[in-house]
């Protein structure tokens, strides 16, 4: 009677051990990476909230006559600050739909939007898109934070860390209000109020649904697709 070959009986057990060791190693690396990321958020970005709280968007200097009438204004960045409660809801929703449709769900960073921008948009157009949330755009546009606009991995990491910190310290409405007052919308217009007055000659509180959609669509190409330079594209 033939006896089974005992030399092969221990191979499956050895493979299982190696697989278990691989899982443990991957888990350890993932845990270390997560721990390092949390440390960065708590340590390296601890001044983000202070810088944003002290930030004041630039506004122009107004000139008045002796009888109190405004006769001129000087500004590098044309901006008129408005409270979120004074901005029509359809204008707010237009920007959220265009720039960050999960704004009120995420915590500052949207991994799925980043993956879509890097992978799908690259396949579709040949070049990646950032997938930045509204919060990430805020920290990118606030000069004291020093994030900048360079297309580098380290800059995107800093931007993401800062966005997470901002979401911990500020409400969604506070972030959206700062965004809508800070964003560049073509010509010399910064913020929705300046853009509304520049392109439609009225306050953003008076914008129609179509006018709000037009302004919300300017962020991607504000200098080349605004209603003054290119009405058809706008």
């Amino acid at each position: 009677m033939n006896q089974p070959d005992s030399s092969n009986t221990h191979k499956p057990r050895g493979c299982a051990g190696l697989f278990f060791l691989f899982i443990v190693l991957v888990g350890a690396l993932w845990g270390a990476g997560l721990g390092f990321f949390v440390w960065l958020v708590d340590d390296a970005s601890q001044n983000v909230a202070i810088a944003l709280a002290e930030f004041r968007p630039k506004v122009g200097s107004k000139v008045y006559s002796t009888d109190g009438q405004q006769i001129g204004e000087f500004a590098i960045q044309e901006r008129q600050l408005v409270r979120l409660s004074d901005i029509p809801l359809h204008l707010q929703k237009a920007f959220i739909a265009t720039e960050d449709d999960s704004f009120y769900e995420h915590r500052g960073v949207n991994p799925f939007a980043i993956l879509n921008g890097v992978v799908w948009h690259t396949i579709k157009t040949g070049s990646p898109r950032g997938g930045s949330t509204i919060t990430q755009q805020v920290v990118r546009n606030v000069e004291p934070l020093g994030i900048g606009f360079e297309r580098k991995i380290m800059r995107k990491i800093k931007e993401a860390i800062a966005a997470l910190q901002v979401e911990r310290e500020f409400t969604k409405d506070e972030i959206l209000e700062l965004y809508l007052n800070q964003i560049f919308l073509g010509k010399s217009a910064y913020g929705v109020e300046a853009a509304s007055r520049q392109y439609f000659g009225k306050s953003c509180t008076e914008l129609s649904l179509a006018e709000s959609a037009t302004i919300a669509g300017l962020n991607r190409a504000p200098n080349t697709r605004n209603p003054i330079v290119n009405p058809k594209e706008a």
Side-chain angles (χ1 to χ4, degrees):
M1 191 170 178
N2 295 329
Q3 296 293 326
D5 186 359
S6 61
S7 62
N8 295 324
T9 58
H10 295 294
K11 286 185 179 179
R13 187 178 300 175
C15 291
L18 288 174
F19 180 74
F20 177 75
L21 182 61
F22 173 76
I23 294 297
V24 170
L25 182 60
V26 169
L29 290 173
W30 183 87
L34 181 62
F36 178 69
F37 187 73
V38 170
W39 175 81
L40 282 176
V41 171
D42 287 334
D43 187 69
S45 298
Q46 61 184 338
N47 295 323
V48 168
I50 298 174
L52 198 58
E54 294 177 348
F55 173 69
R56 297 294 180 271
K58 296 176 181 177
V59 294
S61 298
K62 297 179 180 180
V63 180
Y64 294 89
S65 63
T66 54
D67 59 356
Q69 299 296 316
Q70 182 178 334
I71 58 175
E73 183 174 359
F74 300 94
I76 297 175
Q77 297 182 2
E78 184 184 340
R79 181 188 286 107
Q80 298 182 47
L81 304 181
V82 287
R83 293 184 179 278
L84 187 66
S85 57
D86 295 328
I87 299 175
L89 188 58
H90 58 70
L91 180 56
Q92 298 179 36
K93 288 185 174 182
F95 271 96
I96 290 172
T98 304
E99 295 297 323
D100 185 3
D101 59 4
S102 61
F103 173 67
Y104 281 102
E105 282 76 53
H106 64 66
R107 296 187 177 182
V109 177
N110 186 344
F112 298 105
I114 295 174
L115 185 64
N116 178 68
V118 172
V119 178
W120 171 243
H121 202 265
T122 301
I123 295 173
K124 187 177 180 181
T125 67
S127 62
R129 197 169 74 184
S132 295
T133 64
I134 282 177
T135 312
Q136 286 175 274
Q137 292 183 53
V138 166
V139 300
R140 183 192 310 157
N141 286 307
V142 174
E143 293 175 8
L145 298 182
I147 302 296
F149 293 88
E150 289 182 299
R151 290 193 173 186
K152 293 183 178 180
I153 295 296
M154 200 61 214
R155 196 271 297 169
K156 292 296 293 184
I157 292 174
K158 289 179 180 178
E159 180 184 283
I161 293 172
L164 291 171
Q165 184 70 12
V166 167
E167 291 268 351
R168 290 171 57 180
E169 302 294 338
F170 298 91
T171 67
K172 288 288 188 179
D173 285 351
E174 288 173 334
I175 295 168
L176 184 60
E177 180 179 302
L178 181 56
Y179 174 76
L180 293 175
N181 278 294
Q182 180 69 7
I183 186 173
F184 175 61
L185 294 170
K187 303 289 283 183
S188 59
Y190 287 78
V192 294
E193 180 68 6
S196 177
R197 292 185 180 277
Q198 182 162 262
Y199 300 128
F200 299 111
K202 56 186 174 182
S203 171
C204 70
T205 60
E206 305 171 274
L207 290 175
S208 67
L209 184 63
E211 290 165 341
S212 293
T214 300
I215 289 180
L218 292 175
N219 190 30
R220 300 293 169 83
N223 282 325
T224 58
R225 292 185 178 178
N226 66 66
I228 293 176
V229 173
N230 198 331
K232 185 178 179 180
E233 282 293 311

